[in-house]
Each structure stands twice: as structure tokens, then as C-alpha cells.
Amino acid sequence: MSIGDETRKIVIAIDGPAASGKSTTARLLARKLGYIYIDTGAMYRSVTLKALEGGLLEHLRENPDAIESLLDNVDIAFDGDRVFLDGRDVTDAIRENRVSRHVSFISSLKPVRDALKQMQRNMGGRRGVVMDGRDIGTVVFPDAELKVFLIADVSERARRRYAELLQKSGDNNSVPSLEELEQEILQRDRSDAARTHAPLKKHEDAVEVDTSSLTIAEQVALVYNLALEKTAV
Ligand code: CDP
């Protein structure tokens, strides 16, 4: 029996910079708790993919309001670990580096933030959810019972992202170098933290966890124990 069956259900917000281990931790934690996992980064990535595929990206830099029509017609859904954009499985496509390069710009647009915040609140409204992103504890669910802020050294984060991209492509010629990835991650952290709307920042109540030298099992166990403290009745 998972603890979700016998104790009160809560919202767990996991925020932090790029490649700090949020999605791996959140996914495994949700499984252990019998909770729903919502990867909000996948939602921003899906909107970015749609803008790229629709040839809207260049146009948006001069006329950001053009995003409104895209948002009126976007459908993002999760089925287990798969992500669907307008009914199409985009789980792999949204992780491509061409999406990573533009996602911070798309995420800085206010209409995008407003639309996705509403979708996320609807998805998590019944509690029993682990949600990861940049602004979950600060903006989307400021009343989340457990807020965690994951960090890690940038060199370790670049190494993890490199391994992930390599595993997916199976060919290191198509994967950016470690140095390039480190620069892209730093650039994305800077844009996410500097933006006006819902910037990346640690909520004062969030528990900070540095995952630089933790294994996946260790970081999941750590957050699971924090969740047990919050759900105990
Ligand atoms: O996996 P990684 O940490 O690289 O990124 P992600 O969680 O997939 O998020 C991709 C991008 O979406 C971030 O760099 C942010 O620009 C944006 N994002 C956001 O603004 N707010 C969120 N709640 C989640 C993601």
C-alpha cells in the first residue's frame, strides 16, 4: 500500500535550475507515493515545439502577442510518462536541443505563463500531486505542503544532460559538447532567474537539497522522508 492510501494527500512542489534532477526525483517520488506526476517543463517545451513547427518563433520576438492564437489552440496531455501535444506523442521531440535553446524565451511571455499556470492548477487541484518546474512553490502552488528546491554544480548538471542526450541519440556526433551544454545551461538559468514573470527563485519555506554528490536513490529517499513528515496524520 502506498502512503497516499492511508494519509492525507498533499501537493509537493519541486523547483530548481536546469538538469538539477527535478524530473527524475519527481517521477520516482510520485510512483512511491501513488501520486500523479506533472512535469511542467514538458508543458513549456510543448508550447515551444508548437511555435517552432508553426514557424512562429522569429515573428514572436517582434510581436510577442502573436502567441495568444497558439495558446487558444493548444492541447497538452500526459499519459503516464508520455506527453501529447494536440494528440501527438512529443515525449522525445520536446527534449531535443533545438527546443531547449528557445524554451526560456517562450517561458518568459506572460500569456504563456498565465495559460499554463491555469492548466497546472486544474491538474493539481485535487492534491496527491508532485509537480516540478521553476515557479511551482512560488506561483502555481504557494500553498504546497512540501516545497523542495533542488540544486547541483553546473559541471555535474552538464554531465547529466550530456549522458541523457547521448543515451537518446546513441551517436555522440549529434550531441553538443560538455562545454557547450554547460554554457547553454548557465544561459538558461540566467534567463529563467532574470525574467519579470515568475522567475526561478527559492521560496523561503522550500527545503534546499544539493544533489551534486547524491545518487538518484539517495535524493528520492531524502525527499520521500520529507513527504512522510508532511503527510503523517
Ligand atoms: O529538464 P530541464 O531542467 O532542462 O528543463 P525543464 O524542466 O524541462 O524546463 C525547460 C524550461 O521551461 C526552463 O528552462 C524554463 O525556461 C521553463 N519552465 C518554466 O519557466 N517554468 C516551469 N514551471 C517549468 C519550466
Side-chain angles (χ1 to χ4, degrees):
M1 187 190 292
S2 73
I3 67 161
D5 296 331
E6 55 192 11
T7 55
R8 75 193 179 109
K9 295 210 177 216
I10 62 170
V11 171
I12 301 176
I14 303 190
D15 290 305
S20 54
K22 300 179 301 292
S23 55
T24 312
T25 307
R27 178 174 290 112
L28 293 172
L29 179 70
R31 204 171 289 162
K32 260 169 107 79
L33 292 169
Y35 278 20
I36 294 168
Y37 164 51
I38 307 286
D39 174 354
T40 65
M43 300 172 76
Y44 288 95
R45 285 173 178 274
S46 296
V47 173
T48 306
L49 180 66
K50 189 168 166 113
L52 269 170
E53 289 180 339
L56 203 70
L57 216 89
E58 282 318 306
H59 187 53
L60 276 177
R61 298 213 180 247
E62 286 137 43
N63 177 18
D65 292 345
I67 195 76
E68 306 263 8
S69 62
L70 183 153
L71 292 169
D72 286 342
N73 293 295
V74 70
D75 176 43
I76 302 169
F78 293 94
D79 184 4
D81 287 349
R82 312 302 297 175
V83 187
F84 292 84
L85 169 64
D86 301 329
R88 174 169 61 110
D89 187 338
V90 293
T91 313
D92 296 323
I94 59 169
R95 300 285 152 206
E96 286 171 17
N97 227 37
R98 65 183 179 127
V99 175
S100 303
R101 286 196 187 109
H102 297 290
V103 64
S104 283
F105 165 63
I106 294 291
S107 306
S108 70
L109 305 175
K110 184 154 190 320
V112 175
R113 300 224 70 86
D114 288 346
L116 294 198
K117 177 173 69 182
Q118 201 46 53
M119 283 187 216
Q120 291 155 11
R121 285 189 176 158
N122 293 342
M123 290 170 167
R126 292 191 180 158
R127 327 304 282 180
V129 66
V130 183
M131 201 172 275
D132 80 335
R134 302 292 186 286
D135 61 338
I136 310 306
T138 49
V139 173
V140 182
F141 282 106
D143 62 344
E145 289 83 352
L146 174 61
K147 301 181 185 75
V148 178
F149 197 78
L150 288 191
I151 57 163
D153 294 341
V154 69
S155 55
E156 174 59 20
R157 293 191 279 135
R159 202 191 56 71
R160 290 177 189 170
R161 188 47 45 93
Y162 182 78
E164 185 187 331
L165 290 172
L166 195 61
Q167 194 207 2
K168 272 188 192 133
S169 79
D171 151 28
N172 63 0
N173 291 323
S174 60
V175 174
S177 69
L178 263 177
E179 293 69 31
E180 277 175 285
L181 281 173
E182 189 168 316
Q183 285 314 310
E184 281 177 22
I185 285 176
L186 282 173
Q187 177 55 44
R188 198 140 60 87
D189 287 352
R190 273 195 292 268
S191 322
D192 289 345
R195 70 183 173 217
T196 312
H197 308 296
L200 166 69
K201 69 167 187 270
K202 179 179 167 294
H203 188 284
E204 57 180 14
D205 296 341
V207 181
E208 185 169 290
V209 177
D210 186 340
T211 69
S212 308
S213 55
L214 296 181
T215 63
I216 289 173
E218 284 169 341
Q219 71 206 34
V220 173
L222 202 154
V223 183
Y224 181 70
N225 286 330
L226 294 172
L228 285 185
E229 285 168 23
K230 298 285 179 183
T231 53
V233 276

